[in-house]
Amino acid sequence: MSTSVSGGSGSGSESEGGERHASWLELFFDLIAVAGVGQLAHLLHTGPSGTSLGRYAVLFLAFWFAWVMSTMYGNVAGERTRVAAVITAMFGMAVMAAAVPGVHDSDGKARAFALAYIVVRLIASRARSGRGQVVADLPILQLGAGLAPWVVSLWVHGEARLWLWAAGLLIDMAVMVRVSREALQVEIDQKWARAEERAEERAEHWLRREERRGGALPPEEAHARVDRVGSRMRRKPQVVAADVGHLAERLGLFMLIVLGEGLVQSVSAASEEPWDGGVRAVGAGVFVILVLVWSLALRTGAYGLPLLAPRALPVRLVLLLHCLFAGAVAALAAALGRAVEQAGEAMPQPGRLLLAGVLALILVTALVCALVSGRGAGWALGAVGPALVVVGVLAVAPGAGDPEGFGTVVSVALAVCALAWPVGWRAYRPGAPAAEEPAQGAAAGFTG
C-alpha cells in the first residue's frame, strides 16, 4: 500500500489561507497517544515509588519519542505522507501501549515493547532516508546510536533491560542537544566529498585498466563512461527542516491529550466516591488545576510549552522540553486522580511528594522557557519564584500520620495557588519577549 495523503479540504491539512493544519490521518494517529498516555499514567496511580517513577520516566520517554518521530515524518513529508507508514507506526505504538502494564513482570511483553519501538523508529527513519532527506530538527532519525541498546535488550532479562532502554534514550537526548543543523550539514558535506573522491578514483582506475588492455577509447567516449560511473552514486542527502507552524499545532494537540487524561482520571475517581464536602472541594480544585495548566501551556507560550516565545529555541531543544513538560503533566494526572480518591483524608506523603514534584517540574520548565524567551531574569523569577515557594511548602508539610499533616483539600488548594500565580503574572505583566511572536497562524494560536 503506497497511498499518499492528498491536500485540500478533504484531508483537513490546509486552510483557505494556505496554513497547514493536522490532517485526518494525523488526528487518527493521535488516538494511539490517548491510549498510551492513559496506560503510562496508571503506572503511578497506585502510589509512586522510586522504582515506579524510574519505570514511568523510561517508558514515557520511549513512547513520546516514538510519537514525535512518526509526527515529524508526517510534518516533513506533508502531502507525500504514506498512509501505510503512519498506520504501521500506529500499530507499533498500540503494541507499546498494551505492553506497558506488563513490562516489569513479563519478558514477552517487555520484548514486544522494545521490538515495537525499534520498528516504529525504523519506519520513520527509512521513510525519510528513502527520499534522500535528513531532518535537521530531529537528528536521531538519522543517527541511530541510541537504537543499539534497544536491540541488545531483546536478549536481556529483568531490570537490566530497563537500564539498556534508559541508556539508549540518554544517548538520543544527548544527540538532540549536541547535533545542530549546521553540524549535520558539515557531516553530510564531508561524507559526500569522500564519496566523490572514491568515485573519481574508481573511474581513473577503470581508465588505466582499459589503457593497459590496449583499448584506448576516444576522449568523448572515455568521458561519457566516467560520467556513467559517477552517476551510479546516490543523490546527495538534502537537509530539511520542520514546518514549524504545523509542528506547533501537533505538539499543542499532544498536550491536550495529556490534559484529557487528567480529566479522565479525576472524573473516574469522583464517580466511585460519595459526594461529600471533601470530594466536592477536591473535585473543583482538580478541575481548576487542569484549566490552569491548559492556560499556562496553550495560552501563555508556544508549542504547548509555558511562557515560551515561538522562535526562542531550535526545534530539537523545544522537543526535549516538550517531552519533559508532557511527562510531568501526565504524572500530574495520576496525582490528581489519587487526590480525588483521598479527598476526605490527609494526603499520604508519597502522593503529596508526587504532586509537589510534578508541580515543581512544570514550574521549572516555565522558568527555563521564560528565560530563553528573553523576558529577563527578574520577570521570570517573579513569574515562577513565589509559585515554587508554595510547592516547597507542600513538599515539606508533615506526613499523613501526623496530626498536623495537610489534608488533601489543603494540598489541592496549594497546588491551585502555585499554578495560578504564573498565569496571573503573565496576564497582568505580559512583558516583551525578545523572540518574534507572529500575529496570526498556528504558532500564534499558542501565544497569549
Side-chain angles (χ1 to χ4, degrees):
M1 182 178 179
S2 59
T3 307
S4 299
V5 177
S6 60
S9 60
S11 67
S13 61
E14 191 170 313
S15 67
E16 293 180 1
E19 298 169 359
R20 183 181 167 203
H21 296 289
S23 68
W24 291 118
L25 176 63
E26 290 171 318
L27 294 175
F28 179 59
F29 172 78
D30 281 349
L31 293 178
I32 196 56
V34 176
V37 170
Q39 293 281 54
L40 290 160
H42 273 84
L43 291 175
L44 303 175
H45 189 66
T46 57
S49 64
T51 301
S52 63
L53 284 172
R55 189 180 305 126
Y56 167 80
V58 170
L59 298 183
F60 185 93
L61 189 57
F63 190 84
W64 184 90
F65 264 128
W67 177 85
V68 83
M69 284 186 283
S70 301
T71 295
M72 189 64 79
Y73 161 60
N75 175 275
V76 175
E79 294 183 355
R80 299 185 304 277
T81 300
R82 300 287 185 183
V83 175
V86 175
I87 296 299
T88 305
M90 185 179 181
F91 179 76
M93 292 183 65
V95 173
M96 292 175 67
V100 162
V103 159
H104 181 62
D105 303 317
S106 168
D107 278 347
K109 289 185 177 180
R111 193 173 293 110
F113 185 94
L115 185 59
Y117 175 81
I118 294 169
V119 169
V120 171
R121 180 160 174 164
L122 289 177
I123 289 171
S125 64
R126 291 295 299 171
R128 298 304 340 137
S129 61
R131 293 200 167 121
Q133 293 178 329
V134 174
V135 181
D137 297 315
L138 195 62
I140 61 173
L141 280 176
Q142 295 78 225
L143 306 176
L147 197 57
W150 286 84
V151 175
V152 174
S153 75
L154 296 175
W155 292 274
V156 175
H157 305 279
E159 292 294 330
R161 182 189 293 114
L162 280 174
W163 285 106
L164 282 170
W165 296 353
L169 294 168
L170 286 174
I171 291 171
D172 285 335
M173 294 174 73
V175 169
M176 294 279 286
V177 171
R178 294 179 60 86
V179 179
S180 65
R181 180 190 181 106
E182 292 74 19
L184 272 177
Q185 187 66 66
V186 168
E187 182 179 358
I188 290 170
D189 291 343
Q190 291 175 345
K191 287 183 176 179
W192 188 255
R194 289 194 295 269
E196 285 184 322
E197 289 175 3
R198 288 194 295 269
E200 290 177 1
E201 290 173 359
R202 288 196 299 269
E204 291 175 2
H205 175 72
W206 178 81
L207 285 175
R208 287 195 298 269
R209 186 184 62 187
E210 291 296 314
E211 290 174 357
R212 286 196 300 270
R213 291 177 177 176
L217 299 173
E220 296 80 3
E221 186 175 348
H223 285 300
R225 293 198 179 187
V226 169
D227 290 340
R228 283 199 295 272
V229 172
S231 68
R232 294 172 188 168
M233 295 174 58
R234 292 186 305 167
R235 186 178 57 176
K236 184 178 181 180
Q238 175 189 8
V239 178
V240 296
D243 181 331
V244 176
H246 175 260
L247 184 62
E249 182 181 71
R250 301 287 286 123
L251 295 175
L253 288 171
F254 189 90
M255 285 308 308
L256 284 177
I257 289 169
V258 176
L259 287 169
E261 179 58 27
L263 283 172
V264 168
Q265 294 228 15
S266 56
V267 168
S268 176
S271 68
E272 298 177 0
E273 300 293 327
W275 285 12
D276 54 20
V279 170
R280 288 195 292 268
V282 171
V286 165
F287 183 77
V288 172
I289 287 171
L290 292 171
V291 171
L292 289 170
V293 175
W294 163 77
S295 181
L296 194 61
L298 299 174
R299 298 184 72 237
T300 72
Y303 310 101
L305 288 170
L307 306 181
L308 181 68
R311 296 174 180 84
L313 283 174
V315 170
R316 69 185 195 281
L317 300 183
V318 167
L319 292 176
L320 288 179
L321 278 177
H322 184 274
C323 178
L324 181 70
F325 187 72
V329 176
L332 177 65
L336 295 179
R338 290 285 290 172
V340 174
E341 292 177 357
Q342 300 159 348
E345 311 166 10
M347 181 175 281
Q349 188 176 32
R352 185 164 42 78
L353 289 177
L354 174 63
L355 179 60
V358 295
L359 288 173
L361 196 53
I362 288 169
L363 292 169
V364 168
T365 304
L367 177 63
V368 171
C369 290
L371 290 172
V372 301
S373 297
R375 298 183 188 275
W379 190 97
L381 289 173
V384 178
L388 285 173
V389 172
V390 174
V391 171
V393 171
L394 177 62
V396 301
D402 193 305
E404 303 294 326
F406 279 2
T408 301
V409 174
V410 175
S411 299
V412 169
L414 288 173
V416 169
C417 293
L419 291 170
W421 180 266
V423 172
W425 183 274
R426 175 66 172 82
Y428 293 103
R429 299 192 62 178
E436 178 186 356
E437 293 194 35
Q440 58 186 4
F446 304 115
T447 60

